Amino acid sequence: IHIWAGRRFAELVVRRGFGRDGAVYTMNSAGLEILRVARTLGLFTVMEQTIAARAVERQLLAEETAAFPGWELHAGHDLHDDDFCAREQAEWNASDRIMCGSDFVKTSIAALGGPVTRCRVVPYGIRNDDIPASDRAARTGPLRVLTVGVLGLRKGTPYILEAAKRLHGQAVFRLVGLADLHPDALTDLRRWCEVTGPVVRSDIGRHYE
């Protein structure tokens, strides 16, 4: 579905046309057709690699799955991974610039022989007003650790659990986000950490505070 949606979106953009645009900006897996047509029209083409290249991510996840068997409900090979990887890499070749949110993302492209000279690392920012100001001097008690995001192998949740066990009594851990975990793994996680589940974005600031 993800591949189909990216292709369909790009086809609709191409059908609408580019007007007087001088450049296009796309994101990985949702821009190949846009980039190819834009290049034939002489437009400057940019794609944003929003996460490590899928082929590298797949290898890392395979290693984590082997290290932590039975952790995730949906672990395993995706039959459409090869198509996704091919589409992503074709987008690199059709781009004049590849924007990467971190050096890690850039390194993943280099590891696959991608056009790393076209990559530019631009770290993602935050809006300061999303994070309430806090008085660190007034804080007492144990160290408080927060993670926000999907709980699973890709986010390194087993390592959070190990840290929580080692720091028991010295730190408390709160995990905010959807849990894509096997029930047994989730039960173990809840024994050592506070697991809130997903929350609405407007409530995130309270957890940071």
Side-chain angles (χ1 to χ4, degrees):
I1 292 174
H2 195 94
I3 296 173
W4 170 86
R7 183 182 298 120
R8 180 62 177 155
F9 168 77
E11 290 171 347
L12 290 171
V13 172
V14 169
R15 183 183 303 173
R16 184 182 180 97
F18 299 102
R20 296 183 179 181
D21 296 340
V24 295
Y25 193 105
T26 68
M27 295 185 179
N28 55 308
S29 84
L32 180 57
E33 293 76 15
I34 296 171
L35 295 166
R36 283 175 171 171
V37 173
R39 264 202 159 181
T40 65
L41 298 174
L43 277 63
F44 189 75
T45 56
V46 182
M47 70 91 69
E48 179 182 339
Q49 184 68 34
T50 61
I51 192 171
R54 178 59 187 167
V56 170
E57 181 186 2
R58 179 172 60 186
Q59 177 59 39
L60 292 173
L61 282 173
E63 294 171 3
E64 294 301 298
T65 300
F68 301 99
W71 252 75
E72 287 197 344
L73 290 173
H74 306 105
H77 180 63
D78 187 323
L79 295 177
H80 301 282
D81 254 359
D82 291 341
D83 291 339
F84 189 96
C85 293
R87 181 173 177 83
E88 201 172 55
Q89 294 180 43
E91 289 172 326
W92 302 340
N93 295 326
S95 300
D96 294 308
R97 289 288 182 273
I98 303 168
M99 309 303 290
C100 304
S102 68
D103 287 319
F104 179 69
V105 172
K106 179 180 177 180
T107 299
S108 74
I109 293 174
L112 297 171
V116 71
T117 57
R118 302 180 199 168
C119 293
R120 299 293 184 273
V121 176
V122 181
Y124 292 125
I126 62 168
R127 295 194 328 177
N128 287 333
D129 55 356
D130 284 343
I131 310 299
S134 61
D135 183 1
R136 291 178 59 87
R139 297 294 186 186
T140 59
L143 174 70
R144 282 172 277 198
V145 181
L146 171 71
T147 74
V148 178
V150 176
L151 310 183
L153 296 180
R154 191 169 68 85
K155 293 292 189 178
T157 304
Y159 301 102
I160 294 292
L161 175 58
E162 179 63 23
K165 290 179 178 179
R166 294 190 183 193
L167 295 174
H168 182 60
Q170 304 174 61
V172 292
F173 290 74
R174 177 181 297 180
L175 282 56
V176 177
L178 181 69
D180 185 25
L181 302 174
H182 188 279
D184 291 343
L186 185 57
T187 297
D188 194 22
L189 195 63
R190 284 179 169 151
R191 187 176 297 123
W192 299 93
C193 305
E194 178 188 351
V195 181
T196 70
V199 301
V200 295
R201 182 172 292 275
S202 59
D203 201 30
I204 291 292
R206 178 176 65 84
H207 291 282
Y208 276 104
E209 187 176 21

